[in-house]
mmCIF file of all heavy atoms in Angstrom:
data_model
loop_
_atom_site.group_PDB
_atom_site.id
_atom_site.type_symbol
_atom_site.label_atom_id
_atom_site.label_comp_id
_atom_site.label_asym_id
_atom_site.label_seq_id
_atom_site.Cartn_x
_atom_site.Cartn_y
_atom_site.Cartn_z
ATOM 1 N N PHE A 1222 -25.558 17.895 -35.822
ATOM 2 C CA PHE A 1222 -25.747 17.668 -34.383
ATOM 3 C C PHE A 1222 -27.195 17.585 -33.967
ATOM 4 O O PHE A 1222 -27.591 16.739 -33.165
ATOM 5 C CB PHE A 1222 -25.040 18.759 -33.533
ATOM 6 C CG PHE A 1222 -23.580 18.794 -33.620
ATOM 7 C CD1 PHE A 1222 -22.838 19.899 -33.269
ATOM 8 C CD2 PHE A 1222 -22.905 17.645 -33.755
ATOM 9 C CE1 PHE A 1222 -21.488 19.846 -33.222
ATOM 10 C CE2 PHE A 1222 -21.476 17.498 -33.800
ATOM 11 C CZ PHE A 1222 -20.799 18.716 -33.467
ATOM 12 N N VAL A 1223 -28.011 18.415 -34.551
ATOM 13 C CA VAL A 1223 -29.455 18.318 -34.363
ATOM 14 C C VAL A 1223 -30.079 17.026 -34.658
ATOM 15 O O VAL A 1223 -30.751 16.362 -33.949
ATOM 16 C CB VAL A 1223 -30.124 19.517 -34.992
ATOM 17 C CG1 VAL A 1223 -31.584 19.458 -34.841
ATOM 18 C CG2 VAL A 1223 -29.708 20.868 -34.420
ATOM 19 N N VAL A 1224 -29.630 16.626 -35.989
ATOM 20 C CA VAL A 1224 -30.277 15.286 -36.526
ATOM 21 C C VAL A 1224 -29.717 14.167 -35.527
ATOM 22 O O VAL A 1224 -30.551 13.286 -35.316
ATOM 23 C CB VAL A 1224 -29.825 15.111 -37.908
ATOM 24 C CG1 VAL A 1224 -30.216 13.821 -38.459
ATOM 25 C CG2 VAL A 1224 -30.296 16.325 -38.787
ATOM 26 N N SER A 1225 -28.432 14.133 -35.221
ATOM 27 C CA SER A 1225 -27.902 13.024 -34.475
ATOM 28 C C SER A 1225 -28.537 12.960 -33.087
ATOM 29 O O SER A 1225 -28.773 11.882 -32.571
ATOM 30 C CB SER A 1225 -26.344 13.336 -34.364
ATOM 31 O OG SER A 1225 -25.821 13.325 -35.615
ATOM 32 N N LEU A 1226 -28.713 14.111 -32.434
ATOM 33 C CA LEU A 1226 -29.318 14.125 -31.091
ATOM 34 C C LEU A 1226 -30.763 13.676 -31.126
ATOM 35 O O LEU A 1226 -31.238 12.850 -30.247
ATOM 36 C CB LEU A 1226 -29.142 15.458 -30.459
ATOM 37 C CG LEU A 1226 -27.771 15.899 -30.017
ATOM 38 C CD1 LEU A 1226 -27.857 17.394 -29.607
ATOM 39 C CD2 LEU A 1226 -27.205 15.034 -28.858
ATOM 40 N N LEU A 1227 -31.551 14.095 -32.115
ATOM 41 C CA LEU A 1227 -32.927 13.592 -32.323
ATOM 42 C C LEU A 1227 -33.027 12.106 -32.566
ATOM 43 O O LEU A 1227 -33.918 11.391 -32.115
ATOM 44 C CB LEU A 1227 -33.555 14.422 -33.459
ATOM 45 C CG LEU A 1227 -33.843 15.931 -33.069
ATOM 46 C CD1 LEU A 1227 -34.541 16.606 -34.249
ATOM 47 C CD2 LEU A 1227 -34.803 16.081 -31.839
ATOM 48 N N ALA A 1228 -32.012 11.638 -33.497
ATOM 49 C CA ALA A 1228 -32.114 10.266 -33.765
ATOM 50 C C ALA A 1228 -31.625 9.304 -32.587
ATOM 51 O O ALA A 1228 -32.048 8.191 -32.442
ATOM 52 C CB ALA A 1228 -31.101 9.982 -34.965
ATOM 53 N N ALA A 1229 -30.831 9.938 -31.743
ATOM 54 C CA ALA A 1229 -30.363 9.144 -30.564
ATOM 55 C C ALA A 1229 -31.473 8.876 -29.601
ATOM 56 O O ALA A 1229 -31.505 7.735 -28.913
ATOM 57 C CB ALA A 1229 -29.238 9.795 -29.884
ATOM 58 N N GLY A 1230 -32.486 9.766 -29.549
ATOM 59 C CA GLY A 1230 -33.533 9.559 -28.647
ATOM 60 C C GLY A 1230 -33.149 9.648 -27.151
ATOM 61 O O GLY A 1230 -32.109 10.038 -26.741
ATOM 62 N N GLY A 1231 -34.182 9.360 -26.310
ATOM 63 C CA GLY A 1231 -33.921 9.413 -24.926
ATOM 64 C C GLY A 1231 -33.600 10.861 -24.395
ATOM 65 O O GLY A 1231 -34.079 11.807 -24.911
ATOM 66 N N ALA A 1232 -32.713 10.844 -23.351
ATOM 67 C CA ALA A 1232 -32.300 12.128 -22.678
ATOM 68 C C ALA A 1232 -31.568 13.079 -23.664
ATOM 69 O O ALA A 1232 -31.715 14.251 -23.544
ATOM 70 C CB ALA A 1232 -31.497 11.803 -21.424
ATOM 71 N N LEU A 1233 -30.949 12.374 -24.742
ATOM 72 C CA LEU A 1233 -30.195 13.221 -25.602
ATOM 73 C C LEU A 1233 -31.036 14.171 -26.527
ATOM 74 O O LEU A 1233 -30.594 15.205 -26.917
ATOM 75 C CB LEU A 1233 -29.300 12.447 -26.482
ATOM 76 C CG LEU A 1233 -28.172 11.655 -25.846
ATOM 77 C CD1 LEU A 1233 -27.399 10.808 -26.869
ATOM 78 C CD2 LEU A 1233 -27.189 12.582 -25.257
ATOM 79 N N THR A 1234 -32.283 13.811 -26.601
ATOM 80 C CA THR A 1234 -33.156 14.558 -27.354
ATOM 81 C C THR A 1234 -33.427 16.064 -26.780
ATOM 82 O O THR A 1234 -33.696 17.049 -27.516
ATOM 83 C CB THR A 1234 -34.632 13.880 -27.536
ATOM 84 O OG1 THR A 1234 -34.345 12.526 -28.013
ATOM 85 C CG2 THR A 1234 -35.474 14.752 -28.426
ATOM 86 N N ILE A 1235 -33.299 16.060 -25.436
ATOM 87 C CA ILE A 1235 -33.490 17.414 -24.822
ATOM 88 C C ILE A 1235 -32.427 18.273 -25.122
ATOM 89 O O ILE A 1235 -32.586 19.625 -25.266
ATOM 90 C CB ILE A 1235 -33.463 17.175 -23.234
ATOM 91 C CG1 ILE A 1235 -34.528 16.123 -22.787
ATOM 92 C CG2 ILE A 1235 -33.540 18.464 -22.510
ATOM 93 C CD1 ILE A 1235 -34.444 15.758 -21.361
ATOM 94 N N LEU A 1236 -31.141 17.847 -25.606
ATOM 95 C CA LEU A 1236 -30.094 18.746 -25.876
ATOM 96 C C LEU A 1236 -30.153 19.200 -27.372
ATOM 97 O O LEU A 1236 -29.490 20.094 -27.739
ATOM 98 C CB LEU A 1236 -28.782 18.006 -25.722
ATOM 99 C CG LEU A 1236 -28.528 17.516 -24.322
ATOM 100 C CD1 LEU A 1236 -27.155 16.671 -24.263
ATOM 101 C CD2 LEU A 1236 -28.359 18.606 -23.331
ATOM 102 N N ALA A 1237 -31.160 18.684 -28.105
ATOM 103 C CA ALA A 1237 -31.214 19.041 -29.574
ATOM 104 C C ALA A 1237 -31.404 20.568 -29.806
ATOM 105 O O ALA A 1237 -30.812 21.086 -30.837
ATOM 106 C CB ALA A 1237 -32.285 18.210 -30.234
ATOM 107 N N PRO A 1238 -32.264 21.192 -29.014
ATOM 108 C CA PRO A 1238 -32.396 22.715 -29.300
ATOM 109 C C PRO A 1238 -31.191 23.565 -29.155
ATOM 110 O O PRO A 1238 -31.086 24.535 -29.721
ATOM 111 C CB PRO A 1238 -33.438 23.080 -28.214
ATOM 112 C CG PRO A 1238 -34.153 21.739 -27.863
ATOM 113 C CD PRO A 1238 -33.045 20.795 -27.940
ATOM 114 N N LEU A 1239 -30.157 23.046 -28.355
ATOM 115 C CA LEU A 1239 -29.005 23.889 -28.257
ATOM 116 C C LEU A 1239 -28.306 24.046 -29.615
ATOM 117 O O LEU A 1239 -27.962 25.185 -29.987
ATOM 118 C CB LEU A 1239 -28.035 23.193 -27.283
ATOM 119 C CG LEU A 1239 -28.623 23.158 -25.741
ATOM 120 C CD1 LEU A 1239 -27.726 22.542 -24.877
ATOM 121 C CD2 LEU A 1239 -28.909 24.580 -25.328
ATOM 122 N N PRO A 1240 -27.869 22.948 -30.339
ATOM 123 C CA PRO A 1240 -27.274 23.096 -31.598
ATOM 124 C C PRO A 1240 -28.203 23.757 -32.633
ATOM 125 O O PRO A 1240 -27.765 24.476 -33.577
ATOM 126 C CB PRO A 1240 -26.799 21.681 -32.001
ATOM 127 C CG PRO A 1240 -27.683 20.859 -31.250
ATOM 128 C CD PRO A 1240 -27.899 21.460 -29.918
ATOM 129 N N LEU A 1241 -29.469 23.562 -32.393
ATOM 130 C CA LEU A 1241 -30.549 24.080 -33.308
ATOM 131 C C LEU A 1241 -30.491 25.673 -33.185
ATOM 132 O O LEU A 1241 -30.514 26.370 -34.220
ATOM 133 C CB LEU A 1241 -31.994 23.683 -33.129
ATOM 134 C CG LEU A 1241 -33.066 24.261 -33.837
ATOM 135 C CD1 LEU A 1241 -32.898 24.057 -35.375
ATOM 136 C CD2 LEU A 1241 -34.379 23.744 -33.399
ATOM 137 N N LEU A 1242 -30.424 26.283 -31.959
ATOM 138 C CA LEU A 1242 -30.293 27.586 -31.681
ATOM 139 C C LEU A 1242 -29.014 28.063 -32.376
ATOM 140 O O LEU A 1242 -28.882 29.370 -32.967
ATOM 141 C CB LEU A 1242 -30.428 27.993 -30.316
ATOM 142 C CG LEU A 1242 -31.736 27.707 -29.626
ATOM 143 C CD1 LEU A 1242 -31.580 27.932 -28.120
ATOM 144 C CD2 LEU A 1242 -32.698 28.592 -30.138
#
Side-chain angles (χ1 to χ4, degrees):
F1222 286 158
V1223 176
V1224 174
S1225 298
L1226 290 171
L1227 290 175
L1233 291 177
T1234 307
I1235 302 174
L1236 300 177
L1239 297 178
L1241 177 61
L1242 290 174

